Amino acid sequence: MKTCYRKNEWLIVEDGFNPEMNRESESIFSIGNGYMGQRANFEEHYSGDSLQGTYIAGVYYPDKTRVGWWKNGYPEYFAKVLNAPKWIGIDVTVNGKQLDLATAKIISFKRTLNMKEGWLEKQFSITVSKNKILGFHSRRFLSMSEPDIGVIKYSVRSLNFEGTIELKPYIDADVKNEDANYGIKFWKEVDREAYEGAGIIVSKTLKTDFHVATGMCYNLFKNEKPVSAKPSVINREEYVGNAVKVDLKSGDELVMFKYAAVLSSLNSPKVSLIGDVKKRLKKSVEKGYSKLLLEHRKEWQKIWASSDVEIKGDIAAQQGIRFNIFQLNQTYTGKDERLNIGPKGFTGEKYGGSTYWDTEAFALPFFLKTADQKVARNLLLYRYKHLGASIKNAEKLGFKNGAALYPMVTMNGEECHNEWEITFEEIHRNGAIAFAIFNYIRHTGDNDYMAENGLEVLIGISRFWYQRANWSGDKKKYMILGVTGPNEYENNVNNNWYTNTLAVWTLSYTLESLSRVKKEEPSKYRMIIKKTGFDTDTEKAEWKQVIRKMYFPYDSSRDVFLQQDGFLDKVLMPAEMIPTEQRPINQHWSWDRILRSCFIKQADVLQGLYLFEDKYDTDTLKRNFDFYETMTVHESSLSACIHSIMASRIRNIVKAYELYLRTARLDLDDYNHEVGDGLHITSMAGTWLAIVEGFGGMRIVDSKVQVHPLIPDKWKSYSFHARFRGILFEVKVSHKEVIVRNLSDKQLKIIVYDKEWQVNSHEERSFKKTKK
Ligand code: BGC
């Protein structure tokens, strides 16, 4: 466990230069604003190890699939989030020698991420010849109020140095992805302009033909006065810049404000990209650094006001949860329904920036409870717009009649992942997408969504479940064969309990929703029936059969649900019997051994019990928890959070806390030794859920919000913000009491420890903390 970052409530601080951890720090100190993201690469030239990463939401490349043996139906490509033209670059030359932090004589170095205000700062000082010292400082942010704008304030201060400094702000469009399957470059230059003070490059992606214009301009001051020196303009293929030389004496300070505008053809017509970038740059300079920063900080203030979690008595936990909330909001702002949340957000190339079931299963519940309902609605609309593509996905696999199989991994609705056991077999993702509709409506009360969009999606998914299930003449039950459940450590299994449960639930929920829409919105109902060609009597009757006769693997001797048909044929043993040096097993064991073992990568039966816990009594939850937790190795970042929530649900706070700790600082402490690849953005939502739904016990049941708070011994108190049907409230939990504060103008009805209360607008109520 690495602990090179200082613990602080609102800051992440790296003291001292750690080049061996540069990739990790580049991920940790990433900034983003939902529209674009930037790893913490240096502004200056750096010849050391680094993963360059500038990402623009929605701009991707379909990299040709690489598989050993091509099978019918394989996706043609694996989508890649693109390392886009670099806008942060400012090269520095000191007396004719290029500054390179890998070789410079560094006296001090400090990197700070301010999560409260959303900016990244870097300070360092170096010795140049004859003990002359220069101090450097940069602060940058990707504006939350003007999402296409990035700003850097860069300064050089001479302590006792006399000589010439050259600053070279530039845009570099000669960029590559490290994970390119065939090593090719994904960009081609389309246009380029460079002047004194500014430069723009328009690049396009190969195949997908996204056009991106990246422009920069700057102001330069010496001791607060504009520098009059003429810059030389650099204008060559895929590179534009200006080089300005300034003489410095002891005590002098040079300050550059670099403004960048990044526009893509997703938001601006291709023909006007250059013109639009120029306008955006002009506006940014007119506003200026301070005003842009102020507006940006105000946006962060709003975000924290409705999503902050405060933990007293445990600074590591406090920093961990704020880091997670911060990164989630940097990744997705919910303003554009074409965008989604990649498991690594904008912090690395892994997972291609594509959408996984992680969005519906983990991220959506976070945004539902912390942001305006439009944010979660846009996540649902993203899938609604991909319905046609999902029907095609299903057709490719032989399904018909409008059955929809949503992709396991996608950018535009097409499947774009090429591991068979994940792509074709993890059909449970279809269930997560259906459940998300239910989850959205129960949180927001936005019933209109069902008739407007939800029902069509549910019909498509239900048709898929119906066709995917088959009747077993032997067992006289419906089966769902050949799947991978959330536990990716067993493939091609039959009757994964979680998948079968979700299938039946979706069919029932669709039938119920059909009846409700028919009654409440008859004309919309008729339209949907027509559009989907739904055969009301036959299809309903067929679905009811499957609901009645689905097979669920179950072990009557232990009285637990079985992860899949053959689970008990495995040698069952607790994960603690695996020698420590063989963990994680995915890095030490052969795939053959993993698949045969009883060890579970991530919540599977428990994932299902988490979704449908209200259908089971506490004893059932406990029996299943005790059975599966011991065999779960939690080698997916999405696992421990769900187990932690379930542990809280069965009131085992010690276990809940132990599991919570595994998720809370996963990236900050780099538990899995992979932070260099990027952060685990979607699992961060799981961590938040482990506090709010786990310790806080927040649930929405029968259109009512309830909490049942527990508190870990180590914490003095904690509080969280949450929303329910337009009402923002705060719950503060200490060992003695629970305080509910209603932060909205409406009255809040809330169930605290099983009893309903009313909390008036802008008032608070205190409740005695119960032990259980
Ligand atoms: C998990 C999947 C998840 C993916 C992306 C995998 O390790 O097993 O459930 O969708 O990571 O986060």
Side-chain angles (χ1 to χ4, degrees), residues 343 351 356-358 362 408 426 428 486-488 601-602 635-638 682:
Y351 296 120
Y356 285 61
W357 74 303
D358 304 30
F362 297 88
M408 185 60 186
E426 280 198 56
H428 65 81
N487 168 31
E488 291 177 341
K601 180 183 182 189
Q602 69 200 91
E635 290 181 10
S636 158
S637 64
L638 302 174
T682 46

Side-chain angles (χ1 to χ4, degrees), residues 737-752:
E737 61 173 348
V738 174
I739 298 173
V740 177
R741 277 176 67 205
N742 180 352
L743 301 168
S744 78
D745 296 333
K746 291 195 239 166
Q747 191 185 67
L748 168 69
K749 281 193 177 145
I750 184 164
I751 299 171
V752 184

Side-chain angles (χ1 to χ4, degrees), residues 13-30:
V13 182
E14 181 189 12
D15 267 321
F17 188 47
N18 301 292
E20 72 294 345
M21 283 193 54
N22 191 42
R23 274 187 189 238
E24 285 82 352
S25 296
E26 285 175 340
S27 303
I28 296 283
F29 291 87
S30 291

Side-chain angles (χ1 to χ4, degrees), residues 107-124:
I107 308 171
S108 64
F109 180 94
K110 184 168 152 192
R111 236 190 298 217
T112 308
L113 185 65
N114 184 317
M115 302 185 283
K116 194 171 192 175
E117 301 187 352
W119 45 258
L120 168 66
E121 191 172 70
K122 171 161 88 2
Q123 283 162 281
F124 64 93

Side-chain angles (χ1 to χ4, degrees), residues 46 284 396 420 427 651 730:
Y46 185 62
S284 304
K396 277 190 205 151
W420 159 79
I427 55 175
R651 314 282 182 248
E730 189 188 16

Side-chain angles (χ1 to χ4, degrees), residues 619-680:
D619 284 344
T620 306
L621 300 177
K622 191 167 174 331
R623 270 193 313 279
N624 282 279
F625 179 86
D626 291 344
F627 183 64
Y628 286 109
E629 163 56 18
T630 50
M631 289 180 279
T632 306
V633 287
H634 299 296
E635 290 181 10
S636 158
S637 64
L638 302 174
S639 184
C641 50
I642 298 297
H643 280 233
S644 176
I645 296 171
M646 292 317 287
S648 288
R649 170 62 187 82
I650 58 175
R651 314 282 182 248
N652 184 346
I653 185 71
V654 174
K655 191 77 193 165
Y657 185 59
E658 178 195 315
L659 287 158
Y660 170 77
L661 289 181
R662 294 178 73 133
T663 72
R665 294 176 55 90
L666 181 80
D667 289 326
L668 282 178
D669 293 335
D670 199 6
Y671 275 110
N672 293 346
H673 307 287
E674 53 177 18
V675 163
D677 293 341
L679 306 174
H680 296 85

